[in-house]
Amino acid sequence: MASAVWNKQTVSWALFDWGNSAFATTVMVVFFPVFFKQYWSADVSATESTAWLAFANGGASFVLAVLAPLLGTIGDRGGARLKFLFGFTLLGVVTTAGLAFVHQGEWQLAAILFALGSIGFWGGIIFYDSLLIDVAPRDKLDTVSGFGYSIGYLGGGVLLAINIWMTQKPEFFGLANATEAVKASFVTVAVWWALFAIPIFMNVHERSAPSVRKGPALRESLAELAKTVREVRRYRGVVFFLLSYWMYIDGVNTIQKMAVDYGLAIGLPSSSLVMAILMVQFIGFPAALLFGWIGQRISAIVGIFICIAVYAGVTVYATVLNTATEFFIMAAATGCVQGGIQALSRSYYGSIIPAERSGEFFGFYNMMSKFAAVLGPFLMGATALLTGDSRSAILSIVVLFIGGAAMLVVAARNRGT
């Protein structure tokens, strides 16, 4: 493991995850949704503010889902994945810092900056993921991918802990109140993101690619993308894995997005929910390393199956929990497999795609992850309407894990075809 992970390129690559994960934890999951409701749109109806927040999230996801394969193709054709990564990182850093200067009542501007920051975050991940092929040997993808996710969980958790401390003890940091602390937290995320992005641009070397002129690059990339779509049946193992990934990661995303709302709905205090989120980050650090080892020593497919089984169990358990202690147990179980299923999915996919087209193929991979936020909520909503029971609605998510596992079996049998 040491020879594969502890070198300048892999550590520099992983540190990018350490940095940008702060946006996912502090901004996306914890502070922005609460601050948007309670500060920026405090004078707006709950319905209207919810709609704008949904538009910001949905709009950013849709833009990236549509553009992801094309962006990956352009990056491959021009050998410009690091340049694209820099551009998206700059967009995310600047707009995240900009949130600190949005005044109360300016909820439209806050929503727009958040959407742009999300595009910077998710757009950068397309090229960050594709660089895994450049920094890791093919036989060490599981280890390096797991290392990246583990570092990301730790980095995001460390800054989130500091930011929570800032809001609880603002005077210690020379801040007037919790409101100023939240605004300062947005700046710390931007600085953290930018600082830990520096090593990847200094030390990671993208493999050589054919040199193309800027004019023809877009036309050639569009033609190459169209060709890939037409010939996708040649990559049967890839197709079946993407279908499997779309199903089980939809279940994962649904649980992540609904967990806090569900906890509030059953009367749990918000402080307990925030601490549970923080706990997931620190459990995810060693767990992702462990699953990287499982993928390397046993099989990435076996590791993914273990994660799917745990997620299915967590979903069933969620239907009977009633206390904060039980919620913490659910969060701990989720933390054990959340990083693992992400890391092994990425490394397994990287092992079955053509290396020279990793940007393009990871574009498809990230497109699936963006569209993997539709079926789960639809299942929950439809089940809730039919049964009138929110616990039955959550249970319906198990269908996604069962379907994903079944399709994963087909993908494994078709690997290399």
Side-chain angles (χ1 to χ4, degrees):
M1 177 174 174
S3 61
V5 175
W6 299 112
N7 62 67
K8 185 181 294 186
Q9 281 213 105
T10 53
V11 172
S12 297
W13 176 81
L15 281 175
F16 184 85
D17 207 329
W18 171 288
N20 80 338
S21 290
F23 179 84
T25 53
T26 293
V27 180
M28 283 200 299
V29 175
V30 180
F31 285 164
F32 184 85
V34 175
F35 209 58
F36 187 78
K37 281 281 190 184
Q38 298 180 354
Y39 181 76
W40 286 314
S41 62
D43 297 330
V44 178
S45 70
T47 302
E48 188 174 0
S49 63
T50 297
W52 268 92
L53 187 57
F55 290 152
N57 276 302
S61 295
F62 180 77
V63 168
L64 263 301
V66 171
L67 292 181
L70 178 60
L71 288 172
T73 305
I74 294 174
D76 280 340
R77 294 290 295 174
R81 284 173 295 145
L82 280 169
K83 293 179 181 178
F84 274 98
L85 180 60
F86 178 82
F88 278 108
T89 299
L90 182 63
L91 174 64
V93 167
V94 171
T95 53
T96 300
L99 289 170
F101 304 97
V102 179
H103 300 295
Q104 189 170 16
E106 296 180 342
W107 50 273
Q108 300 97 328
L109 177 58
I112 291 170
L113 287 175
F114 175 69
L116 291 173
S118 298
I119 289 173
F121 174 78
W122 293 114
I125 285 177
I126 296 172
F127 302 99
Y128 169 74
D129 282 350
S130 69
L131 288 167
L132 173 64
I133 308 298
D134 296 76
V135 302
R138 294 289 270 200
D139 62 341
K140 299 294 183 181
L141 291 176
D142 297 316
T143 300
V144 176
S145 182
F147 176 64
Y149 267 109
S150 68
I151 287 296
Y153 275 104
L154 186 59
V158 167
L159 188 61
L160 177 59
I162 294 172
N163 292 149
I164 292 173
W165 183 21
M166 289 169 61
T167 61
Q168 293 176 341
K169 300 289 184 180
E171 66 281 356
F172 180 82
F173 294 89
L175 300 167
N177 49 48
T179 296
E180 293 303 312
V182 172
K183 288 187 174 184
S185 294
F186 293 134
V187 176
T188 65
V189 170
V191 172
W192 188 272
W193 190 351
L195 180 64
F196 289 103
I198 293 173
I200 199 170
F201 300 114
M202 292 184 62
N203 301 320
V204 171
H205 304 292
E206 189 175 354
R207 66 175 179 275
S208 60
S211 178
V212 295
R213 291 174 296 166
K214 292 182 179 180
L218 179 58
R219 292 193 299 272
E220 292 183 12
S221 297
L222 285 169
E224 189 69 21
L225 177 60
K227 179 181 177 182
T228 300
V229 173
R230 289 193 304 268
E231 297 181 352
V232 71
R233 292 181 181 177
R234 292 176 48 198
Y235 305 97
R236 288 174 57 84
V238 172
V239 172
F240 284 118
F241 176 76
L242 286 174
L243 290 174
S244 169
Y245 177 73
W246 172 65
M247 295 184 73
Y248 70 69
I249 211 66
D250 197 336
V252 171
N253 290 341
T254 302
I255 289 176
Q256 290 175 342
K257 291 180 179 179
M258 296 302 296
V260 172
D261 283 342
Y262 183 68
L264 292 172
I266 62 176
L268 301 182
S270 59
S271 58
S272 295
L273 302 179
V274 170
M275 293 308 297
I277 293 171
L278 186 60
M279 181 184 70
V280 168
Q281 296 301 120
F282 288 103
I283 291 177
F285 166 63
L289 286 175
L290 173 62
F291 274 98
W293 180 87
I294 290 173
Q296 200 70 57
R297 296 298 180 90
I298 304 175
S299 166
I301 289 288
V302 170
I304 295 172
F305 273 120
I306 293 172
C307 293
I308 291 175
V310 172
Y311 263 110
V314 164
T315 305
V316 174
Y317 180 72
T319 65
V320 298
L321 70 85
N322 292 292
T323 67
T325 299
E326 291 171 334
F327 189 89
F328 271 93
I329 292 172
M330 183 187 74
T334 301
C336 287
V337 294
Q338 186 169 292
I341 199 166
Q342 293 169 322
L344 291 180
S345 296
R346 179 172 64 185
S347 60
Y348 178 77
Y349 185 71
S351 71
I352 62 175
I353 63 174
E356 69 278 3
R357 301 170 77 176
S358 64
E360 176 187 348
F361 274 75
F362 269 106
F364 278 98
Y365 179 80
N366 282 279
M367 177 185 71
M368 297 299 287
S369 69
K370 299 300 165 294
F371 280 128
V374 178
L375 188 55
F378 174 78
L379 277 173
M380 288 190 64
T383 305
L385 288 174
L386 291 172
T387 66
D389 181 15
S390 59
R391 294 181 185 270
S392 297
I394 293 177
L395 186 60
S396 66
I397 302 303
V398 172
V399 173
L400 295 175
F401 294 118
I402 294 174
M407 196 61 67
L408 189 61
V409 172
V410 180
R413 290 176 177 174
N414 286 273
R415 178 170 181 165
T417 62

